[in-house]
Amino acid sequence: EAQVTQNPRYLITVTGKKLTVTCSQNMNHEYMSWYRQDPGLGLRQIYYSMNVEVTDKGDVPEGYKVSRKEKRNFPLILESPSPNQTSLYFCASTFGPAYEQYFGPGTRLTVT
Amino acid sequence: DAKTTQPTSMDCAEGRAANLPCNHSTISGNEYVYWYRQIHSQGPQYIIHGLKNNETNEMASLIITEDRKSSTLILPHATLRDTAVYYCIVRANTGTASKLTFGTGTRLQVTL
């Protein structure tokens, strides 16, 4: 089954404790993205990747890092999480700009 | 990407057609109209997209006006499972980024 998976689905952590949210897709997609969703602000793109070792900033990249060492994986790294990064995070993948995006199930992160 | 305007919320009786409007008066010639939906806090799900012609797939129909300044997503026989937030997005199918710019969408409530 074609899918995007994210782990963990729920995470509560404390300020400053480094964490990684994993994202994996099994569709051989070139493009992958991370979004965050906050009430009243909609979904906003954090980072995206057009291929292995090619990543670029989206609209709200501050406080986040990503890597794309393999085509199927695109982890999101928070080196020093802060409470304003409490949010619902979605990973997405697609063949390219002309194609539909497939979204993961989401990761609800709470930073206290 | 062009900005879109959608009603905040709509109701629809189960079994009836749900018609969700979207205004995109500043759309450019190379921009497509995409529709996604988000059920509760799940990952957004692609529904349909089009450029000028009306489109239909197993989920919905998309009607785009001749001047392309507005469109309507039609769910022909709405069910309770169609209760979701529906997003109308306008974007060009070119460029290196795969970003989708989500607005606040229309919250569709399907009732018995």
Side-chain angles (χ1 to χ4, degrees), chain A residues 3-8 20-27 31-35 66-68 70-77 89-93 102-107:
Chain A
Q3 60 181 350
V4 178
T5 56
Q6 295 178 226
N7 282 293
T20 299
V21 184
T22 65
C23 172
S24 183
Q25 50 94 4
N26 63 0
M27 295 168 280
Y31 289 78
M32 297 185 75
S33 300
W34 276 103
Y35 294 82
V66 292
S67 70
R68 188 92 181 274
E70 306 165 281
K71 199 172 189 179
R72 63 181 291 128
N73 297 323
F74 190 44
L76 180 70
I77 303 156
Y89 291 87
F90 291 102
C91 180
S93 74
Y102 291 79
F103 284 80
T107 295

Side-chain angles (χ1 to χ4, degrees), chain A residues 55-73:
Chain A
T55 63
D56 209 343
K57 297 177 181 178
D59 295 323
V60 288
E62 294 76 24
Y64 304 94
K65 284 175 58 176
V66 292
S67 70
R68 188 92 181 274
K69 294 187 171 57
E70 306 165 281
K71 199 172 189 179
R72 63 181 291 128
N73 297 323

Side-chain angles (χ1 to χ4, degrees), chain A residues 26-99:
Chain A
N26 63 0
M27 295 168 280
N28 202 36
H29 284 166
E30 304 276 332
Y31 289 78
M32 297 185 75
S33 300
W34 276 103
Y35 294 82
R36 61 177 287 175
Q37 185 172 29
D38 303 289
L41 295 176
L43 282 93
R44 295 176 292 167
Q45 193 184 55
I46 303 170
Y47 266 96
Y48 64 94
S49 169
M50 294 178 284
N51 212 327
V52 175
E53 303 292 0
V54 181
T55 63
D56 209 343
K57 297 177 181 178
D59 295 323
V60 288
E62 294 76 24
Y64 304 94
K65 284 175 58 176
V66 292
S67 70
R68 188 92 181 274
K69 294 187 171 57
E70 306 165 281
K71 199 172 189 179
R72 63 181 291 128
N73 297 323
F74 190 44
L76 180 70
I77 303 156
L78 284 73
E79 295 269 3
S80 183
S82 62
N84 64 13
Q85 292 178 299
T86 292
S87 188
L88 180 58
Y89 291 87
F90 291 102
C91 180
S93 74
T94 179
F95 279 116
Y99 297 87

